[in-house]
Amino acid sequence: MSSSGTRVMVSGGLLSLDTTEDVRERGSGVARQVAVLPVGSLEQHGAYLPLTTDTLVACAIAREIAAAYPVHLLPPVTISCSHEHAAWPGTVSISAVTLYAVVRDIAASLRRSGVDTLVVVNGHGGNYVLGNVVQESAGTGTRMALFPAAEDWEGACERAGVQTSLLTDMHAGEIETSILLHAHPECVEDGYETSDFVADDRRHLLTLGMSAYTESGVIGRPSRADAEKGKELLAGLTEAFGAYFSLLTSETLH
């Protein structure tokens, strides 16, 4: 078990082995209980990363958070809003309305059990509706946050020595490949070293979908990825989460 009381993960880090007594004990030692919900996707990530990449990334971030802070780690939402990737086999989506309802229902269920604080760890950039869920939580009695923000990624990238900008490293690039090379190297196939593709002007992405900008499904520079960068990216994000934890557990948050 980690110092925060979260048991060792199973199934590639997707699930916890916590019992109800583990949750009770962890909750008794904090002034305010915080739950962490990873949200990923099931969508193409080129020929070398799995469809579950965003879920694996979100879970890796959440797992590191749970090892460093006394939070209640939830299992992931594994299918979300990946409509822009529909041109590739294997991609599966739900509507924004459904994802909104799922997260709201989870927050309401947690609140009934005494957990009024929920952090959504988002692994897929297309889940725009998650921002609305958090936005609308203000004043409802549920404290919510969406993590990581762009600023958190920027700080983590600087720490890790990531060379590609967030604009260019849009999908299956240096960041995602590095995290998987560190956290799940068995999931990374050969080919990322030669799959770089840049398409910085994507202003019609939501109208046309990803296939209008890339044949391979890749937008970014995965050739620059390595496991050490992945390790440092996760460390940087875990450190950045400290400010969220302090804010969400503060008695002065309205």
Short mmCIF file of all heavy atoms in Angstrom, two decimals, residues 108-172:
data_model
loop_
_atom_site.label_atom_id
_atom_site.label_comp_id
_atom_site.label_asym_id
_atom_site.label_seq_id
_atom_site.Cartn_x
_atom_site.Cartn_y
_atom_site.Cartn_z
N ALA A 108 -22.99 13.00 -7.69
CA ALA A 108 -24.14 12.95 -6.79
C ALA A 108 -24.09 11.73 -5.88
O ALA A 108 -24.40 11.80 -4.69
CB ALA A 108 -25.44 12.94 -7.61
N SER A 109 -23.67 10.59 -6.43
CA SER A 109 -23.55 9.38 -5.63
C SER A 109 -22.47 9.53 -4.56
O SER A 109 -22.67 9.12 -3.40
CB SER A 109 -23.23 8.19 -6.54
OG SER A 109 -23.09 7.00 -5.79
N LEU A 110 -21.36 10.12 -4.92
CA LEU A 110 -20.30 10.37 -3.95
C LEU A 110 -20.79 11.28 -2.83
O LEU A 110 -20.51 11.04 -1.64
CB LEU A 110 -19.09 11.01 -4.64
CG LEU A 110 -18.25 10.10 -5.52
CD1 LEU A 110 -17.32 10.93 -6.40
CD2 LEU A 110 -17.43 9.12 -4.68
N ARG A 111 -21.52 12.30 -3.20
CA ARG A 111 -22.02 13.25 -2.20
C ARG A 111 -22.94 12.56 -1.19
O ARG A 111 -22.89 12.84 0.00
CB ARG A 111 -22.74 14.40 -2.89
CG ARG A 111 -23.12 15.55 -1.95
CD ARG A 111 -23.50 16.80 -2.71
NE ARG A 111 -24.65 16.58 -3.57
CZ ARG A 111 -24.62 16.60 -4.88
NH1 ARG A 111 -23.48 16.78 -5.53
NH2 ARG A 111 -25.72 16.42 -5.60
N ARG A 112 -23.75 11.62 -1.68
CA ARG A 112 -24.66 10.90 -0.77
C ARG A 112 -23.89 10.03 0.21
O ARG A 112 -24.37 9.72 1.31
CB ARG A 112 -25.64 10.04 -1.58
CG ARG A 112 -26.71 10.84 -2.30
CD ARG A 112 -27.81 9.95 -2.83
NE ARG A 112 -27.35 9.07 -3.90
CZ ARG A 112 -27.37 9.40 -5.20
NH1 ARG A 112 -27.80 10.60 -5.56
NH2 ARG A 112 -26.95 8.56 -6.11
N SER A 113 -22.66 9.63 -0.17
CA SER A 113 -21.86 8.80 0.73
C SER A 113 -20.86 9.62 1.53
O SER A 113 -19.97 9.06 2.18
CB SER A 113 -21.12 7.72 -0.07
OG SER A 113 -20.15 8.31 -0.93
N GLY A 114 -20.98 10.94 1.46
CA GLY A 114 -20.15 11.80 2.29
C GLY A 114 -18.92 12.36 1.62
O GLY A 114 -18.10 13.02 2.26
N VAL A 115 -18.77 12.13 0.31
CA VAL A 115 -17.62 12.67 -0.42
C VAL A 115 -18.13 13.80 -1.32
O VAL A 115 -18.77 13.55 -2.34
CB VAL A 115 -16.93 11.59 -1.28
CG1 VAL A 115 -15.72 12.16 -2.02
CG2 VAL A 115 -16.52 10.40 -0.41
N ASP A 116 -17.85 15.03 -0.94
CA ASP A 116 -18.42 16.17 -1.68
C ASP A 116 -17.42 16.83 -2.62
O ASP A 116 -17.69 17.89 -3.17
CB ASP A 116 -18.98 17.21 -0.71
CG ASP A 116 -17.90 17.91 0.11
OD1 ASP A 116 -16.73 17.49 0.02
OD2 ASP A 116 -18.24 18.87 0.82
N THR A 117 -16.26 16.19 -2.82
CA THR A 117 -15.22 16.78 -3.66
C THR A 117 -14.77 15.78 -4.71
O THR A 117 -14.37 14.66 -4.37
CB THR A 117 -14.01 17.21 -2.80
OG1 THR A 117 -14.46 18.08 -1.75
CG2 THR A 117 -12.98 17.94 -3.64
N LEU A 118 -14.85 16.16 -5.98
CA LEU A 118 -14.49 15.28 -7.09
C LEU A 118 -13.54 15.98 -8.04
O LEU A 118 -13.82 17.08 -8.52
CB LEU A 118 -15.75 14.85 -7.86
CG LEU A 118 -15.52 13.99 -9.11
CD1 LEU A 118 -14.88 12.66 -8.74
CD2 LEU A 118 -16.84 13.77 -9.86
N VAL A 119 -12.42 15.32 -8.32
CA VAL A 119 -11.48 15.79 -9.33
C VAL A 119 -11.58 14.87 -10.54
O VAL A 119 -11.43 13.65 -10.42
CB VAL A 119 -10.03 15.79 -8.80
CG1 VAL A 119 -9.07 16.25 -9.91
CG2 VAL A 119 -9.91 16.68 -7.58
N VAL A 120 -11.84 15.45 -11.70
CA VAL A 120 -11.89 14.70 -12.94
C VAL A 120 -10.54 14.82 -13.63
O VAL A 120 -10.11 15.92 -13.99
CB VAL A 120 -13.01 15.23 -13.86
CG1 VAL A 120 -13.03 14.43 -15.17
CG2 VAL A 120 -14.37 15.16 -13.17
N VAL A 121 -9.85 13.69 -13.77
CA VAL A 121 -8.57 13.66 -14.47
C VAL A 121 -8.85 13.27 -15.91
O VAL A 121 -9.14 12.11 -16.22
CB VAL A 121 -7.60 12.67 -13.81
CG1 VAL A 121 -6.31 12.57 -14.62
CG2 VAL A 121 -7.29 13.10 -12.38
N ASN A 122 -8.77 14.24 -16.80
CA ASN A 122 -9.16 14.02 -18.19
C ASN A 122 -7.96 13.66 -19.06
O ASN A 122 -6.97 14.39 -19.12
CB ASN A 122 -9.83 15.28 -18.75
CG ASN A 122 -10.29 15.09 -20.17
OD1 ASN A 122 -10.68 14.00 -20.57
ND2 ASN A 122 -10.25 16.16 -20.95
N GLY A 123 -8.07 12.53 -19.78
CA GLY A 123 -7.00 12.10 -20.66
C GLY A 123 -7.26 12.36 -22.13
O GLY A 123 -6.41 12.06 -22.97
N HIS A 124 -8.44 12.91 -22.47
CA HIS A 124 -8.79 13.13 -23.88
C HIS A 124 -9.22 14.56 -24.11
O HIS A 124 -10.20 15.04 -23.52
CB HIS A 124 -9.92 12.18 -24.27
CG HIS A 124 -10.49 12.43 -25.63
ND1 HIS A 124 -9.70 12.61 -26.75
CD2 HIS A 124 -11.78 12.56 -26.06
CE1 HIS A 124 -10.47 12.83 -27.80
NE2 HIS A 124 -11.74 12.82 -27.41
N GLY A 125 -8.52 15.25 -25.01
CA GLY A 125 -8.79 16.66 -25.26
C GLY A 125 -10.15 16.94 -25.83
O GLY A 125 -10.65 18.06 -25.73
N GLY A 126 -10.80 15.93 -26.45
CA GLY A 126 -12.11 16.15 -27.04
C GLY A 126 -13.27 16.14 -26.05
O GLY A 126 -14.42 16.37 -26.44
N ASN A 127 -12.98 15.90 -24.78
CA ASN A 127 -14.04 15.86 -23.77
C ASN A 127 -14.36 17.26 -23.24
O ASN A 127 -14.29 17.54 -22.05
CB ASN A 127 -13.63 14.94 -22.61
CG ASN A 127 -13.60 13.49 -23.00
OD1 ASN A 127 -14.30 13.07 -23.92
ND2 ASN A 127 -12.79 12.71 -22.31
N TYR A 128 -14.73 18.14 -24.16
CA TYR A 128 -14.97 19.53 -23.81
C TYR A 128 -16.06 19.68 -22.75
O TYR A 128 -16.02 20.59 -21.92
CB TYR A 128 -15.37 20.33 -25.06
CG TYR A 128 -14.43 20.16 -26.22
CD1 TYR A 128 -14.80 19.41 -27.33
CD2 TYR A 128 -13.16 20.74 -26.19
CE1 TYR A 128 -13.93 19.23 -28.40
CE2 TYR A 128 -12.29 20.57 -27.26
CZ TYR A 128 -12.68 19.82 -28.36
OH TYR A 128 -11.82 19.65 -29.41
N VAL A 129 -17.02 18.79 -22.75
CA VAL A 129 -18.16 18.90 -21.85
C VAL A 129 -17.76 18.78 -20.39
O VAL A 129 -18.47 19.26 -19.50
CB VAL A 129 -19.24 17.84 -22.20
CG1 VAL A 129 -18.76 16.44 -21.84
CG2 VAL A 129 -20.56 18.15 -21.54
N LEU A 130 -16.62 18.17 -20.11
CA LEU A 130 -16.18 18.05 -18.72
C LEU A 130 -15.96 19.42 -18.09
O LEU A 130 -16.18 19.60 -16.89
CB LEU A 130 -14.91 17.22 -18.64
CG LEU A 130 -15.04 15.76 -19.05
CD1 LEU A 130 -13.69 15.06 -19.00
CD2 LEU A 130 -16.06 15.03 -18.17
N GLY A 131 -15.51 20.38 -18.88
CA GLY A 131 -15.37 21.74 -18.38
C GLY A 131 -16.70 22.32 -17.95
O GLY A 131 -16.78 23.04 -16.94
N ASN A 132 -17.76 22.01 -18.68
CA ASN A 132 -19.09 22.48 -18.31
C ASN A 132 -19.59 21.85 -17.02
O ASN A 132 -20.23 22.49 -16.19
CB ASN A 132 -20.09 22.21 -19.43
CG ASN A 132 -19.76 22.96 -20.70
OD1 ASN A 132 -19.48 22.35 -21.73
ND2 ASN A 132 -19.77 24.28 -20.65
N VAL A 133 -19.30 20.55 -16.85
CA VAL A 133 -19.71 19.87 -15.63
C VAL A 133 -19.09 20.55 -14.42
O VAL A 133 -19.77 20.84 -13.42
CB VAL A 133 -19.32 18.38 -15.65
CG1 VAL A 133 -19.71 17.70 -14.34
CG2 VAL A 133 -19.96 17.66 -16.83
N VAL A 134 -17.80 20.81 -14.48
CA VAL A 134 -17.10 21.45 -13.37
C VAL A 134 -17.60 22.88 -13.19
O VAL A 134 -17.85 23.33 -12.06
CB VAL A 134 -15.58 21.42 -13.61
CG1 VAL A 134 -14.84 22.23 -12.54
CG2 VAL A 134 -15.08 19.98 -13.62
N GLN A 135 -17.76 23.60 -14.28
CA GLN A 135 -18.24 24.98 -14.23
C GLN A 135 -19.58 25.07 -13.52
O GLN A 135 -19.81 25.94 -12.67
CB GLN A 135 -18.35 25.53 -15.64
CG GLN A 135 -18.95 26.93 -15.75
CD GLN A 135 -19.29 27.28 -17.18
OE1 GLN A 135 -19.70 26.42 -17.95
NE2 GLN A 135 -19.11 28.54 -17.54
N GLU A 136 -20.48 24.15 -13.84
CA GLU A 136 -21.83 24.20 -13.28
C GLU A 136 -21.91 23.70 -11.85
O GLU A 136 -22.95 23.83 -11.20
CB GLU A 136 -22.77 23.39 -14.18
CG GLU A 136 -22.96 24.01 -15.56
CD GLU A 136 -23.80 23.14 -16.47
OE1 GLU A 136 -24.45 22.21 -15.98
OE2 GLU A 136 -23.78 23.40 -17.69
N SER A 137 -20.83 23.12 -11.35
CA SER A 137 -20.85 22.61 -9.97
C SER A 137 -20.75 23.72 -8.94
O SER A 137 -21.08 23.52 -7.76
CB SER A 137 -19.69 21.62 -9.76
OG SER A 137 -18.44 22.30 -9.76
N ALA A 138 -20.28 24.89 -9.37
CA ALA A 138 -20.11 26.00 -8.44
C ALA A 138 -21.44 26.35 -7.77
O ALA A 138 -22.46 26.55 -8.43
CB ALA A 138 -19.56 27.23 -9.16
N GLY A 139 -21.43 26.38 -6.45
CA GLY A 139 -22.63 26.75 -5.70
C GLY A 139 -23.63 25.64 -5.51
O GLY A 139 -24.72 25.87 -4.97
N THR A 140 -23.29 24.41 -5.91
CA THR A 140 -24.24 23.30 -5.80
C THR A 140 -24.00 22.44 -4.56
O THR A 140 -24.78 21.54 -4.28
CB THR A 140 -24.14 22.38 -7.02
OG1 THR A 140 -22.84 21.76 -7.05
CG2 THR A 140 -24.37 23.15 -8.31
N GLY A 141 -22.92 22.70 -3.83
CA GLY A 141 -22.59 21.86 -2.69
C GLY A 141 -21.57 20.81 -3.00
O GLY A 141 -21.07 20.12 -2.11
N THR A 142 -21.24 20.64 -4.28
CA THR A 142 -20.19 19.71 -4.70
C THR A 142 -18.98 20.49 -5.19
O THR A 142 -19.11 21.36 -6.05
CB THR A 142 -20.69 18.79 -5.83
OG1 THR A 142 -21.77 17.99 -5.37
CG2 THR A 142 -19.57 17.86 -6.30
N ARG A 143 -17.84 20.18 -4.63
CA ARG A 143 -16.61 20.81 -5.10
C ARG A 143 -16.03 19.94 -6.21
O ARG A 143 -15.86 18.74 -6.03
CB ARG A 143 -15.60 20.93 -3.96
CG ARG A 143 -16.05 21.83 -2.82
CD ARG A 143 -14.95 22.01 -1.80
NE ARG A 143 -15.37 22.90 -0.72
CZ ARG A 143 -14.56 23.43 0.19
NH1 ARG A 143 -13.27 23.14 0.15
NH2 ARG A 143 -15.02 24.21 1.13
N MET A 144 -15.71 20.57 -7.33
CA MET A 144 -15.17 19.83 -8.46
C MET A 144 -14.00 20.58 -9.07
O MET A 144 -13.90 21.81 -8.98
CB MET A 144 -16.25 19.58 -9.53
CG MET A 144 -17.37 18.67 -9.10
SD MET A 144 -18.53 18.29 -10.45
CE MET A 144 -17.48 17.28 -11.50
N ALA A 145 -13.12 19.83 -9.71
CA ALA A 145 -12.01 20.41 -10.47
C ALA A 145 -11.71 19.52 -11.65
O ALA A 145 -11.97 18.30 -11.62
CB ALA A 145 -10.77 20.56 -9.60
N LEU A 146 -11.19 20.13 -12.71
CA LEU A 146 -10.77 19.42 -13.91
C LEU A 146 -9.25 19.50 -13.98
O LEU A 146 -8.67 20.59 -13.93
CB LEU A 146 -11.40 20.04 -15.15
CG LEU A 146 -11.13 19.37 -16.50
CD1 LEU A 146 -11.63 17.93 -16.50
CD2 LEU A 146 -11.79 20.17 -17.62
N PHE A 147 -8.59 18.35 -14.09
CA PHE A 147 -7.14 18.29 -14.04
C PHE A 147 -6.64 17.33 -15.12
O PHE A 147 -7.28 16.31 -15.39
CB PHE A 147 -6.70 17.78 -12.65
CG PHE A 147 -5.22 17.74 -12.45
CD1 PHE A 147 -4.50 18.87 -12.11
CD2 PHE A 147 -4.52 16.54 -12.61
CE1 PHE A 147 -3.13 18.82 -11.93
CE2 PHE A 147 -3.15 16.48 -12.44
CZ PHE A 147 -2.46 17.63 -12.08
N PRO A 148 -5.51 17.62 -15.76
CA PRO A 148 -4.64 18.80 -15.64
C PRO A 148 -5.12 19.92 -16.56
O PRO A 148 -5.66 19.67 -17.64
CB PRO A 148 -3.28 18.27 -16.10
CG PRO A 148 -3.43 16.80 -16.31
CD PRO A 148 -4.88 16.55 -16.58
N ALA A 149 -4.86 21.15 -16.16
CA ALA A 149 -5.07 22.30 -17.04
C ALA A 149 -3.88 22.42 -17.99
O ALA A 149 -2.84 21.78 -17.80
CB ALA A 149 -5.21 23.57 -16.20
N ALA A 150 -4.04 23.26 -19.02
CA ALA A 150 -2.96 23.46 -19.98
C ALA A 150 -1.68 23.93 -19.28
O ALA A 150 -0.57 23.52 -19.63
CB ALA A 150 -3.39 24.46 -21.04
N GLU A 151 -1.86 24.79 -18.27
CA GLU A 151 -0.69 25.29 -17.54
C GLU A 151 0.04 24.17 -16.79
O GLU A 151 1.27 24.20 -16.65
CB GLU A 151 -1.13 26.38 -16.55
CG GLU A 151 -1.65 27.64 -17.21
CD GLU A 151 -3.12 27.56 -17.60
OE1 GLU A 151 -3.75 26.48 -17.43
OE2 GLU A 151 -3.67 28.58 -18.06
N ASP A 152 -0.72 23.19 -16.30
CA ASP A 152 -0.10 22.05 -15.61
C ASP A 152 0.71 21.21 -16.60
O ASP A 152 1.83 20.76 -16.28
CB ASP A 152 -1.17 21.18 -14.95
CG ASP A 152 -2.02 21.96 -13.96
OD1 ASP A 152 -1.44 22.71 -13.16
OD2 ASP A 152 -3.26 21.82 -14.00
N TRP A 153 0.16 21.00 -17.79
CA TRP A 153 0.90 20.27 -18.83
C TRP A 153 2.16 21.03 -19.23
O TRP A 153 3.22 20.44 -19.42
CB TRP A 153 0.01 20.05 -20.05
CG TRP A 153 -0.91 18.89 -19.95
CD1 TRP A 153 -2.27 18.90 -19.93
CD2 TRP A 153 -0.54 17.50 -19.88
NE1 TRP A 153 -2.77 17.62 -19.84
CE2 TRP A 153 -1.73 16.74 -19.81
CE3 TRP A 153 0.69 16.83 -19.87
CZ2 TRP A 153 -1.72 15.35 -19.74
CZ3 TRP A 153 0.70 15.45 -19.80
CH2 TRP A 153 -0.50 14.72 -19.73
N GLU A 154 2.04 22.35 -19.37
CA GLU A 154 3.20 23.14 -19.78
C GLU A 154 4.33 23.03 -18.76
O GLU A 154 5.50 22.86 -19.12
CB GLU A 154 2.79 24.60 -19.97
CG GLU A 154 1.93 24.83 -21.21
CD GLU A 154 1.33 26.22 -21.25
OE1 GLU A 154 1.52 26.99 -20.27
OE2 GLU A 154 0.66 26.55 -22.26
N GLY A 155 3.98 23.12 -17.48
CA GLY A 155 4.99 23.00 -16.44
C GLY A 155 5.62 21.62 -16.42
O GLY A 155 6.85 21.48 -16.26
N ALA A 156 4.81 20.59 -16.59
CA ALA A 156 5.31 19.22 -16.60
C ALA A 156 6.20 18.98 -17.82
O ALA A 156 7.23 18.29 -17.72
CB ALA A 156 4.15 18.24 -16.59
N CYS A 157 5.82 19.53 -18.96
CA CYS A 157 6.62 19.37 -20.17
C CYS A 157 7.98 20.04 -20.03
O CYS A 157 9.01 19.50 -20.47
CB CYS A 157 5.87 19.94 -21.38
SG CYS A 157 4.50 18.92 -21.95
N GLU A 158 7.98 21.21 -19.42
CA GLU A 158 9.25 21.90 -19.20
C GLU A 158 10.15 21.09 -18.29
O GLU A 158 11.36 20.94 -18.55
CB GLU A 158 8.99 23.28 -18.60
CG GLU A 158 10.26 24.10 -18.40
CD GLU A 158 9.96 25.50 -17.88
OE1 GLU A 158 8.78 25.87 -17.76
OE2 GLU A 158 10.94 26.24 -17.59
N ARG A 159 9.58 20.55 -17.23
CA ARG A 159 10.35 19.73 -16.30
C ARG A 159 10.92 18.49 -16.99
O ARG A 159 12.06 18.09 -16.74
CB ARG A 159 9.46 19.32 -15.13
CG ARG A 159 10.07 18.25 -14.22
CD ARG A 159 9.18 17.96 -13.04
NE ARG A 159 9.70 16.86 -12.24
CZ ARG A 159 9.45 16.70 -10.95
NH1 ARG A 159 8.68 17.58 -10.31
NH2 ARG A 159 9.94 15.67 -10.30
N ALA A 160 10.13 17.89 -17.87
CA ALA A 160 10.52 16.63 -18.51
C ALA A 160 11.42 16.83 -19.73
O ALA A 160 11.95 15.86 -20.27
CB ALA A 160 9.27 15.86 -18.93
N GLY A 161 11.58 18.07 -20.17
CA GLY A 161 12.39 18.32 -21.36
C GLY A 161 11.69 17.95 -22.64
O GLY A 161 12.34 17.61 -23.64
N VAL A 162 10.35 18.02 -22.64
CA VAL A 162 9.59 17.74 -23.86
C VAL A 162 9.87 18.85 -24.87
O VAL A 162 9.77 20.04 -24.55
CB VAL A 162 8.08 17.66 -23.56
CG1 VAL A 162 7.26 17.62 -24.85
CG2 VAL A 162 7.80 16.43 -22.70
N GLN A 163 10.22 18.47 -26.07
CA GLN A 163 10.65 19.44 -27.08
C GLN A 163 9.50 19.98 -27.93
O GLN A 163 9.61 21.06 -28.51
CB GLN A 163 11.69 18.79 -27.99
CG GLN A 163 12.94 18.33 -27.27
CD GLN A 163 13.84 17.50 -28.18
OE1 GLN A 163 13.47 16.43 -28.65
NE2 GLN A 163 15.04 18.02 -28.42
N THR A 164 8.40 19.25 -28.02
CA THR A 164 7.31 19.62 -28.91
C THR A 164 6.28 20.45 -28.14
O THR A 164 5.95 20.15 -27.00
CB THR A 164 6.62 18.36 -29.47
OG1 THR A 164 7.61 17.42 -29.87
CG2 THR A 164 5.74 18.71 -30.65
N SER A 165 5.78 21.51 -28.79
CA SER A 165 4.78 22.35 -28.14
C SER A 165 3.46 21.60 -27.98
O SER A 165 3.19 20.62 -28.68
CB SER A 165 4.54 23.61 -28.96
OG SER A 165 3.86 23.30 -30.18
N LEU A 166 2.61 22.08 -27.07
CA LEU A 166 1.30 21.46 -26.89
C LEU A 166 0.45 21.59 -28.15
O LEU A 166 -0.38 20.72 -28.43
CB LEU A 166 0.58 22.10 -25.70
CG LEU A 166 1.18 21.83 -24.32
CD1 LEU A 166 0.36 22.55 -23.25
CD2 LEU A 166 1.25 20.34 -24.02
N LEU A 167 0.62 22.66 -28.90
CA LEU A 167 -0.12 22.83 -30.15
C LEU A 167 0.26 21.73 -31.15
O LEU A 167 -0.62 21.09 -31.75
CB LEU A 167 0.18 24.20 -30.77
CG LEU A 167 -0.37 24.43 -32.19
CD1 LEU A 167 -1.90 24.41 -32.18
CD2 LEU A 167 0.15 25.74 -32.77
N THR A 168 1.54 21.49 -31.32
CA THR A 168 2.01 20.52 -32.30
C THR A 168 1.80 19.09 -31.82
O THR A 168 1.44 18.20 -32.60
CB THR A 168 3.49 20.75 -32.60
OG1 THR A 168 3.65 22.06 -33.17
CG2 THR A 168 4.04 19.71 -33.58
N ASP A 169 1.98 18.86 -30.51
CA ASP A 169 1.91 17.51 -29.96
C ASP A 169 0.46 17.17 -29.60
O ASP A 169 0.12 16.96 -28.44
CB ASP A 169 2.80 17.40 -28.73
CG ASP A 169 3.16 15.96 -28.42
OD1 ASP A 169 3.82 15.33 -29.25
OD2 ASP A 169 2.78 15.48 -27.34
N MET A 170 -0.37 17.09 -30.61
CA MET A 170 -1.81 17.02 -30.40
C MET A 170 -2.30 15.60 -30.11
O MET A 170 -3.19 15.37 -29.29
CB MET A 170 -2.53 17.59 -31.62
CG MET A 170 -4.03 17.66 -31.50
SD MET A 170 -4.83 16.30 -32.38
CE MET A 170 -6.55 16.81 -32.27
N HIS A 171 -1.71 14.57 -30.78
CA HIS A 171 -2.29 13.23 -30.69
C HIS A 171 -1.26 12.16 -31.02
O HIS A 171 -0.68 12.18 -32.10
CB HIS A 171 -3.48 13.11 -31.66
CG HIS A 171 -4.33 11.91 -31.42
ND1 HIS A 171 -5.15 11.79 -30.32
CD2 HIS A 171 -4.48 10.78 -32.13
CE1 HIS A 171 -5.78 10.63 -30.38
NE2 HIS A 171 -5.38 9.99 -31.47
N ALA A 172 -1.04 11.25 -30.04
CA ALA A 172 -0.10 10.13 -30.21
C ALA A 172 1.31 10.62 -30.46
O ALA A 172 2.08 9.98 -31.18
CB ALA A 172 -0.55 9.21 -31.35
#
